[in-house]
Amino acid sequence: MGEYSKETSVFQTYIIGIIILIIFYIIKRPRIGANEPPLVPYTIPILGHTYNYLFNTQKFLKECKEQYGECFSVYVFGYVVTVVSRGPLSEVLINREAFELDIFEILPFNMIFEHVGDFGKVAHINAKLAREKISANIEVYTPAIQKYIVEGIDKWIGDCKEPKEFRSIWSLTNNIIALPVANIMVGEEAASHEDVTKSLGDFAFDIGPLGAIPPIFSFIHPKLHEFVITLPLRFGWNPVARHRKIIINQIKPVIEKRIKEKKTLGKDYKPYFDALEYYMSQPDFDYSKLHHYVDALFVLTFGAIGTTSGSVTNGLFDMAGRPDCFNELYEEAMMIDKECNGSIGFADVQKMKKLDSFVKEVLRHSDDTLKRIHKVISESYTFSNGYTVPKGRRINLYVNDALKSKDFYGDDADEFKPFRFVNENSPATKVDRNYVVFGGGKHACPGRFFAIHEAKIICHKLILRYNIKTKSGKIENKTYLGPSTLPPRGSLIFENRK
Ligand code: HEM
């Protein structure tokens, strides 16, 4: 009798489990409306395309595009994502009233930068600051960028009479780049404190891991994933808190001094040339809300330092693994260095044609397959190919398809050709529908002129000073994380040029 009831209860549990799975499957089965981009068929219920999306991304999406065209949908982590390339991708970038970059999809920024308040307003102010104050004044900033980059190289790489091995290259370039950026953000006085540059450089690395958690709970409900990854924040842990405190401590006396100067000098007050001054010049600037401006500054530096240092890191690996390319860049650098006696100005950076082409090729080969999830914010949107996507639909940009377009870049589009753009009148800052590393349309990255300028200066100084090789002696691969990439993880060997 006992044996019989045990068997019955195992059987009942089994049946209940199957019923739950069936209900779950019915509830979660994607519903695709008429006229929507085709949903790529899948065989495993609930999981859908998640495995291929994570572990076979490039091949999987290439095959989908070949079969379904420039606009198709896949089912990953329990939700439908429409993948767009080429024409539809450009439409997403241009039609900002229909599509919005879904930054909260990457990280719960509203909780991390808890004092920002109105994100839309801060994004607008930061974009204006990057465009009108930072990128527009590169000429003025060039001496400072050069000075702090040289200082950073001395500090973080230094003398390499004997070959020196460096393991965490991204962290190394990030430390160097944080120096000029900190100076431009908070001014020379505050940036002279080591803890300030360290905080501005480090905080993106501190919050990054939160974004790397795969949204497995979204299989049940997207809100559940959001809830789980924000749990530590709900309990008061915030990786930014420590950095915020440091920055506030160091900028407070600087701001007080400037307010006093403004009062005493009146019209004769000469505004400082940094982001801090820009925030202070806002009509509603409120000294008692420094935490708000510091969080706004963090939002800007989050997009400014890690992106540039990641690209420079890729560039160092790309040149170190290709001795011929490295030598050609060295020849150009020597020529320019001779002309300017070692002190480069804005015009000298403009003359670095081979380096500019190299940087553009590095960015084109960042190898991220998909990037930047957008959301449909209008009632629906009909692409010019006739497909309609509904409000709330996640849209993922198939950037690697545009960046490796054979129609645009030629049959060798997949090859890394460092000097591809030298005679093409196509600088690394020029956005177009096939060069989407800086986005496009009216929200295209306004900091790109500054980023490329800075990247070229750091590469120029490193090329002149060191022989750089990969430890493996080979071209290193990027680190693939599903549809995204990070710079290679290998070591680089630096040795003084004789
Ligand atoms: C290699 C380095 C960089 C890359 C790859 C990069 C890439 C991007 C991309 C893809 C976007 C989104 C564009 C879109 O939605 O169409 C963007 C936006 C933005 N970037 Fe950059 N960026 C870099 C460096 C910088 C720097 C150095 C700054 C500041 C000095 C900066 C400031 C901004 C701002 C403020 C926005 C928002 C623009 C808006 O919403 O209108 N970026 N960036």
Side-chain angles (χ1 to χ4, degrees), residues 93 96 126-127 300 303-304 307-308 311 372 437-440 443 445-447 451:
L93 293 177
R96 302 293 179 141
N126 279 346
L300 182 63
T307 44
T308 312
S311 307
R372 299 191 298 284
V437 289
F438 294 112
H443 286 288
C445 175

Side-chain angles (χ1 to χ4, degrees), residues 4 41 46 55-56 104 143 195 212 243 315 354 377 382 427 457 476:
Y4 174 75
I46 301 166
F55 302 110
N56 185 23
F104 303 114
D195 54 355
H243 300 299
K354 287 190 177 171
I377 50 170
T382 302
I457 296 179
E476 292 281 357

